């Protein structure tokens, strides 16, 4: 597995070793990541946000798969289980999470502090799947929240806007044990979030809440630090060789293939169903044109590498040694146009649509290629 050098948790230098940067190979199904999927059903009644997850509608909802290491199967599996549930109604997306934890610890109390400096749970939401203008929510065991919006991934220039807040966000935590007390062994903590659609639809297709069988791109992350007890208090365990805390663990729902949550193309897929929770199951909706999306993403990866080595973008596919074979066995030849800002590539999709990707990574579809 190719590795990516970590600078900070939120900013990773993507170089020629970028995962999936394979411009000299034909595109194949097995090269695409397997995105995890979850079906979110409706709750007929609003939920009480107290962190306890004891309402019957939560009991009826399915748990996600347990989280894995952010880099995927190349890394050891997490030592503690993390999983989530989702429900929704006309007003909110409801998120529940359960984190096994024998040493429940948190220190940060100020809204919009950098919460992943504590152990935390994180939600990432890209409603239209274009990899831009996505929402991040982090919460620690004290219930302290950091909510922000990313105009672009950090690799494409960001920035993160911490001054943006989710108006009407409801958040609560329940600890099964004693927070910040090393004298006993805890069992874990649970989280409830109610994220109002009114704050998400600005970034959603047609600026509306999801409908039946709509697909949004989400991911979920847990940051876990190694702890030690000094003078009766928890602190991050330090590496004797460096005198600095050991690196944190990053455990996620849909693996990223690198230590970087800000690769939205690798997030999982959440399907919304109008079916009331407990009345399912409903079938998974197809991921239409997913091979075309990834074919264009590989072109973006290849252009990044070309620019890194040559100082500019390639003006044709031949310079990228780019050849893509789609799932149906046909070869895709995107149209590549150099623009004042960089480039734009387009490829035909199903139903008369046209897929587009730009130098800054944004990917979208339309009817005209504009």
């Amino acid at each position: 597995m190719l590795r990516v050098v970590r600078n900070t948790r939120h900013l990773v230098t993507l170089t020629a070793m970028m995962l999936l940067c394979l411009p000299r190979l034909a595109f194949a199904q097995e090269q695409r990541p397997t995105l995890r999927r979850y079906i979110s059903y409706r709750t007929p009644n609003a939920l009480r946000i107290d962190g306890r997850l004891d309402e019957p509608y939560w009991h009826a909802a399915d748990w996600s798969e347990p989280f894995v290491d952010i880099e995927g199967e190349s890394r050891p599996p997490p030592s503690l289980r993390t999983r989530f549930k989702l429900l929704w109604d006309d007003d909110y997306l409801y998120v529940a999470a359960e984190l096994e934890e024998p040493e429940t610890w948190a220190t940060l109390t100020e809204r919009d502090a950098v919460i992943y400096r504590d152990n935390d749970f994180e939600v990432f939401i890209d409603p239209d799947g274009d990899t831009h203008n996505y929402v991040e929510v982090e919460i620690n065991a004290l219930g302290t929240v950091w909510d922000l919006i990313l105009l672009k991934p950090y690799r494409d220039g960001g920035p993160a806007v911490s001054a943006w807040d989710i108006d009407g966000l409801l958040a609560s935590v329940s600890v099964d044990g004693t927070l910040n007390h090393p004298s006993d062994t805890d069992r874990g903590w649970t989280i409830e979030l109610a994220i109002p659609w009114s704050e998400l639809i600005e970034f959603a297709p047609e600026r509306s809440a999801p409908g039946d069988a709509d697909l949004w791109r989400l991911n979920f992350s847990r940051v876990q630090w190694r702890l030690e007890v000094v003078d009766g208090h928890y602190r991050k365990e330090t590496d004797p060789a460096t005198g600095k805390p050991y690196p944190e663990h990053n455990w996620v729902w849909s693996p990223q293939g690198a230590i970087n949550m800000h690769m939205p193309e690798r997030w999982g897929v959440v399907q919304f169903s109008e079916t009331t929770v407990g009345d399912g199951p409903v079938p998974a909706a197809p991921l239409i044109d997913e091979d075309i999306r990834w074919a264009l993403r590989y072109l973006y990866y290849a252009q990044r590498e070309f620019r890194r080595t040559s100082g500019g973008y390639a003006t044709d596919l031949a310079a990228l040694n780019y050849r893509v074979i789609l799932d149906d066995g046909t070869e895709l030849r995107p149209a590549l146009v150099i623009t004042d800002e960089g480039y734009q590539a387009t490829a035909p999709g199903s139903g008369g649509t046209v897929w587009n990707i730009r130098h800054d990574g944004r990917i979208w579809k339309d009817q005209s290629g504009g």
Side-chain angles (χ1 to χ4, degrees):
M1 175 69 73
L2 301 180
R3 301 294 298 279
V4 178
V5 177
R6 184 211 320 254
N7 285 343
T8 70
R9 185 177 168 274
H10 271 232
L11 181 59
V12 176
T13 301
L14 299 176
T15 68
M17 302 297 282
M18 165 80 95
L19 182 73
L20 298 177
C21 184
L22 302 172
R24 291 174 174 79
L25 299 180
F27 173 70
Q29 177 70 32
E30 59 269 18
Q31 293 170 4
R32 291 207 307 269
T34 300
L35 306 179
R36 283 186 159 181
R37 300 191 61 172
Y38 184 92
I39 298 178
S40 178
Y41 295 94
R42 265 191 173 270
T43 173
N45 296 92
L47 301 178
R48 182 179 64 253
I49 305 302
D50 58 9
R52 299 187 182 279
L53 315 187
D54 54 3
E55 295 180 78
Y57 301 117
W58 277 134
H59 288 303
D62 293 328
W63 283 112
S64 71
E65 306 96 329
F67 284 19
V68 297
D69 187 89
I70 191 170
E71 294 183 82
E73 295 180 355
S74 67
R75 306 294 294 166
S79 58
L80 300 170
R81 187 178 67 184
T82 313
R83 54 186 184 170
F84 70 86
K85 297 184 178 190
L86 298 176
L87 290 170
W88 66 295
D89 62 17
D90 287 341
D91 299 313
Y92 293 102
L93 170 64
Y94 297 101
V95 181
E98 177 189 75
L99 294 77
E100 288 185 343
E101 177 56 79
E103 300 175 313
T104 310
W105 163 78
T107 66
L108 299 169
T109 59
E110 183 179 353
R111 176 72 175 260
D112 289 341
V114 182
I115 300 300
Y116 67 80
R117 291 174 180 165
D118 283 351
N119 293 340
D120 80 348
F121 181 79
E122 306 176 358
V123 183
F124 298 82
I125 307 173
D126 183 11
D128 62 7
D130 71 348
T131 75
H132 284 204
N133 297 317
Y134 56 87
V135 173
E136 179 178 353
V137 182
E138 302 187 5
I139 187 169
N140 67 6
L142 284 166
T144 308
V145 167
W146 182 19
D147 50 352
L148 61 156
I149 182 173
L150 276 293
L151 303 184
K152 301 177 183 180
Y154 292 106
R155 67 188 176 193
D156 299 305
V161 183
S162 289
W164 180 86
D165 287 336
I166 300 176
D167 187 25
L169 174 70
L170 304 176
S172 188
V173 168
S174 178
V175 175
D176 189 0
T178 53
L179 179 64
N180 292 331
H181 284 275
S183 59
D184 62 0
T185 300
D186 305 321
R187 288 160 294 282
W189 52 300
T190 52
I191 299 162
E192 273 185 298
L193 299 171
I195 305 174
W197 296 122
S198 58
E199 296 295 292
L200 297 178
I201 60 175
E202 179 181 353
F203 319 112
E206 300 180 2
R207 292 181 175 254
S208 65
D212 192 52
D214 282 353
L215 306 176
W216 285 22
R217 299 295 175 112
L218 283 82
N219 213 348
F220 303 84
S221 173
R222 175 180 180 175
V223 170
Q224 187 74 13
W225 295 89
R226 291 172 57 170
L227 300 178
E228 60 185 357
V229 179
V230 177
D231 297 329
H233 299 281
Y234 289 126
R235 74 175 188 187
K236 293 175 185 176
E237 185 176 353
T238 56
D239 181 349
T242 65
K244 298 179 180 180
Y246 285 103
E248 77 280 10
H249 295 290
N250 294 278
W251 300 330
V252 305
W253 174 48
S254 198
Q256 295 289 102
I259 305 174
N260 182 6
M261 282 304 296
H262 296 274
M263 299 165 67
E265 67 271 20
R266 298 185 64 91
W267 294 354
V269 178
V270 170
Q271 174 180 332
F272 294 94
S273 173
E274 292 279 4
T275 301
T276 298
V277 63
D279 291 346
V282 301
L287 297 179
I288 297 173
D289 292 342
E290 190 67 8
D291 57 344
I292 297 173
R293 288 172 59 102
W294 272 100
L296 290 176
R297 182 61 56 183
Y298 288 156
L299 188 151
Y300 160 84
Y301 292 156
Q303 283 280 35
R304 285 182 62 89
E305 172 60 8
F306 189 92
R307 188 184 189 201
R308 186 189 72 84
T309 57
S310 69
Y313 292 115
T315 59
D316 56 55
L317 300 181
L320 297 173
N321 296 307
Y322 178 88
R323 181 170 180 259
V324 168
I325 306 299
L326 298 177
D327 293 347
D328 63 3
T330 62
E331 183 173 354
L332 182 72
R333 301 290 294 177
L336 178 61
V337 176
I338 299 300
T339 66
D340 291 341
E341 296 81 15
Y343 68 87
Q344 182 170 324
T346 60
S350 60
T353 59
V354 176
W355 283 96
N356 308 260
I357 198 166
R358 292 191 316 220
H359 57 279
D360 62 2
R362 181 173 178 252
I363 187 167
W364 75 98
K365 70 176 178 179
D366 58 31
Q367 295 292 334
S368 63

